[in-house]
Amino acid sequence: MASFMVKTINLTKAGIKKAIPVLNVWKQYAMVELTPPSPRDIPAIRNGFAKLVEGAKTGRFREVTVREAVINTLVTIEVYCWFYVGECIGKRHFVGYDV
């Protein structure tokens, strides 16, 4: 029994030792990617929306490569799936609302 506890403790220590660098990298990415936009980001956001509107007016969306179309489709599916997961979490049921 004592050897089992020693092995468990050593395995836990090794897991923590391996996880710390990975979690530090994750923390760096999370601090950059998960922060809300700052006021200095607003001009870039406006430019992005202006390009989107201009592309819709000029028909730029029809000149998309297959690679860009596949990436855009996958991003759209991801957004839809996260919306669906959020709805399921919010209503606490898979189908319908508990009325």
Side-chain angles (χ1 to χ4, degrees):
M1 185 68 166
S3 67
F4 176 73
M5 291 303 292
V6 170
K7 287 180 183 179
T8 303
I9 290 171
N10 289 338
L11 184 62
T12 304
K13 286 181 182 178
I16 291 171
K17 188 176 181 179
K18 296 261 185 192
I20 286 175
V22 174
L23 290 174
N24 286 336
V25 170
W26 180 85
K27 180 182 171 186
Q28 289 175 340
Y29 284 125
M31 289 180 73
V32 171
E33 296 294 330
L34 298 177
T35 57
S38 65
R40 68 175 183 219
D41 295 333
I42 291 175
I45 294 169
R46 284 186 180 158
N47 289 339
F49 279 122
K51 286 181 183 178
L52 185 65
V53 170
E54 186 66 29
K57 287 180 182 177
T58 61
R60 161 75 173 96
F61 62 90
R62 288 183 252 155
E63 300 169 7
V64 175
T65 64
V66 173
R67 177 179 162 81
E68 289 173 345
V70 169
I71 290 172
N72 291 342
T73 303
L74 291 175
V75 168
T76 303
I77 290 170
E78 180 184 11
V79 169
Y80 176 76
C81 288
W82 279 114
F83 174 77
Y84 182 74
V85 168
E87 281 287 314
C88 291
I89 291 170
K91 63 186 174 185
R92 297 184 180 141
H93 296 288
F94 284 108
V95 180
Y97 287 91
D98 190 22
V99 189

